[in-house]
Amino acid sequence: MRRITRRNLLIGSAAAAAAGYVALEGCQNAGHSIPPAPPPGGYALEAKYADTVYNGMTLRTRTYNGAIPGPTLYASPGQHLRITLKNSLPPNPPAPVPKTAMVHPVDVHDMLAMEDPLHNNRAPAVQSTSIDPMNNPHEFNTTNLHVHGLQVVPHLFDPIGTSDPNTMMIAIESGESFTYDFQVPEDQPPGLYWYHPHHHGSTDVQVSGGMAGLLVVPGAIDAVPEIAQARDVHIAVQTLQVNQSTQSPNVYDLEYVAYQTPQNGGYNPRSTYMFVISNGQLVNLMTFGSGTSFTSVPYPAPQMTANPGEVLRLRILNGTNALLLPLQLQGFEVYVIAHDGVNLLAPQQVDQSGTGAIELPTGGRVELLVRAPSTPGTYTLRALTIPSMGGKQHAWPEMDIMQFTVSGSPVSMKIPTTLPKPTREYPLIADSEIVARRNVVFNSTPSTSILPGFALTINGSVYDETSIMFPLTVGTAEEWTISTPMPEGHPFHLHTNSFELHSVTDPSGTTTYSPPVICDTIWVPANGKAVIRVRFKQWRGKDVFHCHKLSHEDQGMMANTLLQ
């Protein structure tokens, strides 16, 4: 495999802890412990508002159990994972879909306009005669649950595992509860997964308030001696989006009026403030002005100490709603050992000098073994700057994610030479297994039916809850080419099954992965494409794939599959 740089993607997840466990959650070091077993009655999650203070600003957002991030959940291969989700958010305000014409604003500076100035060429103000009720974000207090990357039965539609193409998404309304009971496969790859809401129309607003948490599956990789001896550090990077409240002075929230234009208080993919947090701690505050202008104020990252020569196990989630994170930890030896819950067959050392970085898309996870240098000092895990790419993509600032102080007595710790084979993912997919080749095209188009002014499409269509784009056959394998003819990249996520990433092409060339990278979320570069292979295993039912920029997903960039 070619040297990993900021241009050629590595994405991922990680494996779980059975010994030497240290979780940094909300900046609290939990100390050494064995990962807890699920409680006998299962886990209880409650969707509710909570106030969190950052930089002297009170954010009133939707959370799980009143915390950002939510509690960490655990499930072992072969076990049942039982989660009861109670919706304690208030009822949705009345929001009828307009039956009369509405005037679109001439210039809506949304997330699309930020990332792709070509979207500023939107049509002039027009009157719409048909408002799309599904793909205009709505029902902001209706929720459900997705266990991202866990290879369990399809669970977005009611009832769970349904094969009825006409069924609708699970919608847990205010005051209601819903219990999910997942059978975790015996060969579930051990790793770092996560959970978050996935009700179409409210996903972005809820995740952007902090509704997300880590989900850990222990397994064989934890027994590797060199890994068992390493401290296990979980890092959850999130973005919280808020505006100044129109109802409560000195409070910042994200309360949109459904089926209204952004200039009239309706949904806008870009808020005034974006708080970037690492393990619940503010590390950067961006304030947006007109057009693509913004100010960025950095804050100290969570702190950790390490002895010279100590090996740490870092498991990192990109739980932001839209950011690509080019991760770099200069001064340390850095080895990738897993992507999106599937470990490699051997650790892979990666270049962290200069612009060398591991690019982690929103929704992705990566697991690393990092060895502290012999020289005492302060070293920083950071997300590097994303350049403007000639004005065609927003330039995100550099952000510190975690800081390590190396001091004390040197220790001698090793990096393993081999890792256990994840049996669910092997053998790799052979050419002879491929029964179909499909194209998935992420694109956008001016639209008078989507109130921010643009529809986000897959193969030319916005999301239709009862339409099946791809019928799929369990027990077979397919090759998909995901492309975007836009000067804007997109993270692609497939539910239920992981897949093999074989190549990524951008305007500067093609990177081929041999062996392929096994993952569940990838970055498809601007004006580029990615080729994947997927084997459909075990589960039947109605499911989805989508762009994991959550504003894109809520505005139509999602499609249904039917596994039969």
Side-chain angles (χ1 to χ4, degrees):
M1 187 180 295
R2 198 179 68 183
R3 185 177 67 91
I4 299 162
T5 68
R6 290 179 53 226
R7 187 177 69 80
N8 61 302
L9 166 72
L10 272 180
I11 37 187
S13 164
Y21 173 76
V22 173
L24 292 176
E25 300 168 10
C27 300
Q28 297 299 313
N29 188 328
H32 292 268
S33 66
I34 295 174
Y43 290 104
L45 294 178
E46 183 179 12
K48 64 180 183 179
Y49 279 102
D51 288 357
T52 311
V53 178
Y54 293 105
N55 191 40
M57 301 167 67
T58 298
L59 277 59
R60 183 162 298 158
T61 65
R62 300 163 179 85
T63 69
Y64 287 124
N65 296 8
I68 303 174
T72 298
L73 311 184
Y74 298 84
S76 294
Q79 290 185 340
H80 277 264
L81 173 62
R82 184 180 175 89
I83 305 170
T84 298
L85 174 58
K86 178 182 179 182
N87 186 353
S88 294
L89 298 170
N92 293 303
V97 180
K99 297 179 185 290
T100 58
M102 298 184 68
V103 177
H104 286 259
V106 175
D107 187 16
V108 180
H109 294 296
D110 58 17
M111 185 68 77
L112 287 171
M114 290 167 53
E115 294 175 345
D116 179 3
L118 295 181
H119 285 118
N120 286 324
N121 296 328
R122 52 174 46 83
V126 294
Q127 288 192 329
S128 175
T129 56
S130 176
I131 301 299
D132 184 335
M134 182 173 294
N135 296 299
N136 282 285
H138 61 287
E139 295 182 341
F140 301 116
N141 288 343
T142 300
T143 195
N144 61 19
L145 188 70
H146 173 47
V147 287
H148 182 125
L150 209 59
Q151 296 187 39
V152 295
V153 64
H155 52 275
L156 284 193
F157 298 93
D158 195 7
I160 287 175
T162 180
S163 293
D164 181 357
N166 295 314
T167 194
M168 309 300 279
M169 276 193 182
I170 294 169
I172 308 171
E173 304 292 352
S174 174
E176 296 180 349
S177 295
F178 189 96
T179 297
Y180 295 83
D181 193 340
F182 300 117
Q183 172 66 54
V184 181
E186 294 279 356
D187 56 356
Q188 170 68 47
L192 179 66
Y193 301 93
W194 66 305
Y195 62 91
H196 60 81
H198 212 301
H199 182 263
H200 189 60
S202 62
T203 302
D204 184 29
V205 165
Q206 292 180 11
V207 175
S208 291
M211 285 181 70
L214 302 178
L215 201 166
V216 177
V217 177
I221 191 173
D222 307 308
V224 174
E226 296 88 347
I227 292 176
Q229 293 168 10
R231 283 188 288 163
D232 190 4
V233 182
H234 297 174
I235 303 174
V237 183
Q238 297 170 272
T239 45
L240 308 179
Q241 295 206 103
V242 292
N243 302 307
Q244 189 157 17
S245 174
T246 60
Q247 303 296 321
S248 303
N250 304 317
V251 168
Y252 298 82
D253 58 26
L254 200 62
E255 300 297 336
Y256 292 127
V257 180
Y259 302 121
Q260 290 293 318
T261 62
Q263 68 178 179
N264 292 328
Y267 175 80
N268 192 332
R270 192 200 70 182
S271 61
T272 303
Y273 302 97
M274 177 184 285
F275 291 70
V276 183
I277 61 173
S278 176
N279 288 345
Q281 181 173 322
L282 176 64
V283 296
N284 198 284
L285 173 56
M286 285 179 269
T287 305
F288 296 96
S290 61
T292 59
S293 67
F294 71 98
T295 61
S296 170
V297 179
Y299 290 84
Q303 305 291 306
M304 190 171 181
T305 60
N307 289 82
E310 183 178 2
V311 173
L312 304 172
R313 181 183 186 182
L314 306 185
R315 300 200 268 179
I316 308 167
L317 161 71
N318 182 349
T320 71
N321 75 330
L323 300 185
L324 174 66
L325 300 179
L327 298 174
Q328 184 184 80
L329 178 55
Q330 283 196 342
F332 276 59
E333 289 179 29
V334 176
Y335 299 82
V336 174
I337 62 171
H339 303 291
D340 291 351
V342 183
N343 63 260
L344 307 181
L345 300 184
Q348 179 187 17
Q349 188 170 8
V350 294
D351 174 30
Q352 296 279 271
S353 63
T355 60
I358 300 166
E359 294 191 343
L360 192 64
T362 179
R365 293 88 61 212
V366 68
E367 180 172 1
L368 311 172
L369 290 180
V370 301
R371 191 189 336 248
S374 58
T375 304
T378 299
Y379 302 83
T380 303
L381 172 67
R382 55 174 50 99
L384 301 183
T385 297
I386 300 237
S388 65
M389 294 176 62
K392 294 180 179 180
Q393 180 167 301
H394 199 281
W396 297 114
E398 183 173 284
M399 292 175 282
D400 293 350
I401 304 301
M402 183 168 284
Q403 195 168 78
F404 299 87
T405 299
V406 177
S407 63
S409 301
V411 297
S412 179
M413 297 181 68
K414 296 181 178 179
I415 302 295
T417 57
T418 62
L419 298 171
K421 180 180 290 187
T423 57
R424 190 175 181 88
E425 312 303 330
Y426 287 86
L428 296 174
I429 300 169
D431 292 348
S432 59
E433 289 185 71
I434 301 299
V435 300
R437 287 178 167 81
R438 302 184 191 271
N439 292 310
V440 174
V441 181
F442 288 147
N443 211 340
S444 67
T445 183
S447 172
T448 60
S449 66
I450 306 298
L451 293 171
F454 264 78
L456 283 302
T457 64
I458 295 180
N459 292 357
S461 299
V462 292
Y463 182 61
D464 182 339
E465 199 163 7
T466 61
S467 175
I468 303 299
M469 183 168 286
F470 295 154
L472 307 170
T473 302
V474 173
T476 67
E478 296 188 358
E479 183 174 279
W480 293 11
T481 298
I482 304 104
S483 61
T484 174
M486 303 168 61
E488 170 186 13
H490 298 275
F492 168 85
H493 174 52
L494 176 70
H495 285 214
T496 302
N497 292 284
S498 63
F499 53 81
E500 300 173 2
L501 175 64
H502 282 254
S503 67
V504 173
T505 300
D506 66 16
S508 62
T510 297
T511 299
T512 299
Y513 297 94
S514 181
V517 178
I518 302 174
C519 45
D520 62 53
T521 308
I522 58 171
W523 182 258
V524 183
N527 293 308
K529 66 180 180 180
V531 177
I532 68 170
R533 289 183 174 183
V534 55
R535 182 185 286 123
F536 305 107
K537 301 196 69 172
Q538 186 173 359
W539 304 110
R540 290 169 169 80
K542 184 178 176 182
D543 215 347
V544 301
F545 62 91
H546 57 89
C547 174
H548 218 285
K549 284 186 179 178
L550 300 182
S551 62
H552 293 190
E553 175 190 324
D554 276 341
Q555 292 179 91
M557 201 171 264
M558 184 162 68
N560 295 325
T561 62
L562 188 60
L563 296 157
Q564 297 175 306

